[in-house]
Amino acid sequence: MASSSPEATQWWDHLQQLDGTGDLSHIAAAAGRALVVLSETYAQAMQHDLHRLAATGAETVLIGGACAVEGILRVPANAALRRALGGTLTSLNVRTAASWLEHCTPGHLITPTAQARWTAWAAEAAHRERYARTPVPDETVISFIKEMKRLHPDSSRTRLLRLLRDKGMACEQKRFADLYMATIGR
């Protein structure tokens, strides 16, 4: 996974050079429609391709992304839907796409009825999550990781982060991953 737009652009350009089958505009033109699910970083890297995709006139929905593209219906990421869709924020766009498809008319990605159903559902399902967690220093997180691995040696990093947060401690996912790797080494 790229951590910056330049890295994502490099990844996308490299992918395009592999065999040429990744050209979104050709794929969408052949199928007549496209559902594109992108993080903000990758959408920025693929901006030129998204504009070419829009120019095909194919029925296109962009889930997530970075900004509106004329000719493409964009359904932006909405963290308030995480509770209704389940899972983590990292994979929210994928679950949003699955839910979008459930609201669609078979054979079509975009219809006024589907858009109305989605909008009504999203408004009803939206729930702004608020956490009352206390930020803790690295030493506390490291101590927690060591103790939990001692008590539950088979627990995954994700599970340990969930346990830490359930105890009311705040730790950003990447920071926890870095501390876990430095502590456990895998």
Side-chain angles (χ1 to χ4, degrees), residues 128-148:
R128 185 67 54 198
E129 294 176 301
R130 303 216 191 299
Y131 301 105
R133 297 182 184 135
T134 304
V136 293
D138 289 355
E139 296 76 27
T140 302
V141 176
I142 291 167
S143 177
F144 177 85
I145 291 168
K146 287 178 179 177
E147 178 65 11
M148 289 298 106

Side-chain angles (χ1 to χ4, degrees), residues 81-118:
L81 295 176
R82 198 216 50 86
R83 178 188 275 182
L85 296 172
T88 66
L89 288 176
T90 305
S91 59
L92 183 63
N93 285 343
V94 173
R95 290 186 321 284
T96 299
S99 184
W100 176 266
L101 291 172
E102 291 172 2
H103 289 85
C104 288
T105 305
H108 297 282
L109 289 175
I110 305 170
T111 64
T113 303
Q115 288 178 269
R117 279 195 301 258
W118 170 263

Side-chain angles (χ1 to χ4, degrees), residues 6-30:
E7 285 179 12
T9 301
Q10 183 181 15
W11 165 82
W12 183 247
D13 290 345
H14 177 72
L15 184 64
Q16 296 299 299
Q17 294 169 8
L18 288 177
D19 63 10
T21 60
D23 188 316
L24 295 177
S25 60
H26 289 114
I27 294 168

